[in-house]
Amino acid sequence: RKEVEQDPGPFNVPEGATVAFNCTYSNSASQSFFWYRQDCRKEPKLLMSVYSSGNEDGRFTAQLNRASQYISLLIRDSKLSDSATYLCVVNRNNAGNMLTFGGGTRLMVKP
Amino acid sequence: DAGVTQSPTHLIKTRGQQVTLRCSPKSGHDTVSWYQQALGQGPQFIFQYYEEEERQRGNFPDRFSGHQFPNYSSELNVNALLLGDSALYLCASSTTGTGNEQYFGPGTRLTVT
C-alpha cells in the first residue's frame, strides 16, 4: 500500500463547477500536510498548507481529518487555468523535512 | 528575489555513465532536498542536505550521492546510470526546521539511453 494515496482521475469538469479531491495517508506520525499543483512538464508549486482546523485561500479550501488520516481539497468556481495535476503531500517530520507525495489527481476544466 | 534554480535543463546520457546535477536554493534557504519524478508518478525523496551534510535519505541506492556547499547550493551525482534512472530530477529548498514549506526548482530532465 502506498503511503499517500490519491485517485489519479482525470476529473473532467465544466468551468464554474465545484470539484473535490481526496487523499489518504497511512503513517499516523505524519505532522505536516500540503497540496501542490503541477502543470504538465513543470515543477510542483505549493498551493497551500493544510491545517487541522481547515483553511481557505480564495476559491480553494483544504481540510484535514487526523482521526481518519484523510485530506481534502475543494475548488470552487473552477477556471480553465485550474487544469493541472494536484499532489497531496505529507511530512512525517521524524528527522527533518522529507516530503512524501501521492501520485497526483489530474483535473481538466473544460469551457 | 531569485527562486530555486537548477542546471542543466535537459541531459541525455548513456547507460553506465555518470551525471552531476546542480541546484541553487532560494535566497534565505539553507536546506536542499532532491526528488526523482518518473513519468506519471509523484516525486520520490532521494535525500536532504543541511549544513553540508546528508541529513535524511530515501530508498535510493548508493549510486545516488550528493553534496552541499558552504553557499547552500547542492549537487546530485548518479553513477553507473541505468535506463530506469530516466526521470525529472527536482531540487527543493527550505529553511531548516520540520514542517517548513519546500519550494521546487524547474527540474533537470535526464534521459538515459
Side-chain angles (χ1 to χ4, degrees):
Chain A
R1 183 188 172 191
K2 291 183 182 177
E3 190 166 335
V4 180
E5 298 217 52
Q6 297 181 249
D7 181 343
F11 284 55
N12 294 297
V13 303
E15 264 187 299
T18 295
V19 61
F21 304 137
N22 303 320
C23 163
T24 57
Y25 61 95
S26 60
N27 192 322
S28 60
S30 298
Q31 294 294 322
S32 305
F33 308 89
F34 309 92
W35 283 101
Y36 278 75
R37 170 201 167 121
Q38 187 171 28
D39 292 290
C40 189
R41 302 182 76 79
K42 299 284 189 182
E43 75 273 22
K45 291 190 191 298
L46 180 64
L47 182 64
M48 57 199 304
S49 301
V50 187
Y51 304 116
S52 296
S53 54
N55 49 301
E56 187 174 308
D57 182 2
R59 297 183 292 108
F60 298 84
T61 301
Q63 298 275 356
L64 168 64
N65 184 322
R66 285 187 185 269
S68 302
Q69 295 180 200
Y70 172 95
I71 307 162
S72 66
L73 176 68
L74 183 77
I75 304 176
R76 289 181 299 279
D77 188 23
S78 298
K79 312 289 185 193
L80 296 176
S81 58
D82 293 334
S83 298
T85 295
Y86 291 82
L87 297 160
C88 176
V89 185
V90 306
N91 185 344
R92 276 181 273 155
N93 291 1
N94 56 340
N97 214 7
M98 182 186 107
L99 300 183
T100 302
F101 285 77
T105 297
R106 190 168 172 212
L107 171 66
M108 298 184 69
V109 182
K110 308 281 189 180
Chain B
D1 176 26
V4 181
T5 60
Q6 290 186 245
S7 63
T9 308
H10 296 86
L11 204 50
I12 300 175
K13 289 286 189 178
T14 303
R15 201 169 32 177
Q17 286 188 314
Q18 177 264 344
V19 68
T20 297
L21 311 181
R22 296 176 177 80
C23 170
S24 290
K26 187 175 163 67
S27 178
H29 287 185
D30 55 11
T31 301
V32 173
S33 303
W34 286 93
Y35 294 81
Q36 179 195 66
Q37 186 174 24
L39 202 60
Q41 298 180 24
Q44 284 198 294
F45 177 78
I46 303 174
F47 42 52
Q48 182 179 87
Y49 277 84
Y50 170 66
E51 290 190 337
E52 302 179 49
E53 290 190 358
E54 183 182 293
R55 181 160 71 175
Q56 200 167 4
R57 189 178 184 94
N59 190 24
F60 278 80
D62 292 345
R63 298 187 299 108
F64 289 78
S65 63
H67 188 77
Q68 186 179 35
F69 299 94
N71 67 353
Y72 308 121
S73 67
S74 176
E75 288 182 350
L76 163 66
N77 300 293
V78 186
N79 293 323
L81 285 166
L82 304 174
L83 297 179
D85 294 333
S86 295
L88 180 66
Y89 288 84
L90 295 158
C91 167
S93 76
S94 59
T95 52
T96 190
T98 55
N100 289 346
E101 295 165 349
Q102 295 186 20
Y103 296 88
F104 284 82
T108 294
R109 190 163 298 279
L110 173 65
T111 302
V112 182
T113 61

